[in-house]
Amino acid sequence: MNAVVAEIFDNSPVIFTSNAAAKVNELINEEGNPALKLRVYVSGGGCSGFQYGFSFEEAVNEDDLQVEKDGVTVLIDSLSFQYLNGAEIDYQEGLEGARFMIKNPNATTTCGCGSSFSV
């Protein structure tokens, strides 16, 4: 079974914005390893029950959804995908600082920091 690859179209299961892709591309260039991919995952914890995590990896797992945007690949494992289906991953810079943001339609509540949620 091969990993699922999703190109960014209006019906993509996860939206990865151009801002996020540009920042990830910048970070990958700083690392000097073009084989890196951004893994976005959900784990238990945080003040609302679940929390988002981000890491760089080279390996693609069999159950990973791959979302590609502007030359950057995002990996989401099947367990995390059930919580991230329909979500938008963005990168924003503002008065509160710079950070990756996830707008998740599956979250019933979120904490003030935006990195923890419940369903």
Side-chain angles (χ1 to χ4, degrees):
M1 177 182 213
N2 291 333
V4 177
V5 177
E7 294 291 335
I8 297 296
F9 296 113
D10 290 336
N11 62 352
S12 176
V14 175
I15 299 165
F16 188 57
T17 69
S18 293
N19 282 346
K23 183 61 178 180
V24 170
N25 194 35
E26 178 184 320
L27 294 170
I28 289 172
N29 287 335
E30 287 176 9
E31 290 294 318
N33 183 353
L36 291 176
K37 298 158 186 58
L38 177 68
R39 179 167 299 281
V40 180
Y41 58 91
V42 173
S43 61
C47 53
S48 295
F50 294 101
Q51 61 188 0
Y52 302 113
F54 301 90
S55 64
F56 282 115
E57 295 183 11
E58 290 183 28
V60 177
N61 298 325
E62 188 174 297
D63 70 335
D64 284 342
L65 169 74
Q66 296 182 64
V67 179
E68 298 178 6
K69 176 76 171 189
D70 300 338
V72 173
T73 301
V74 176
L75 305 173
I76 302 171
D77 66 87
S78 60
L79 181 62
S80 297
F81 177 70
Q82 67 183 333
Y83 299 108
L84 292 170
N85 187 15
E88 177 184 277
I89 302 166
D90 192 17
Y91 179 77
Q92 298 177 349
E93 294 181 7
L95 295 175
E96 298 175 358
R99 61 184 176 162
F100 285 96
M101 299 286 301
I102 296 181
K103 297 175 188 168
N104 190 344
N106 304 305
T108 56
T109 59
T110 58
C111 68
C113 68
S115 64
S116 180
F117 69 101
S118 64
V119 290

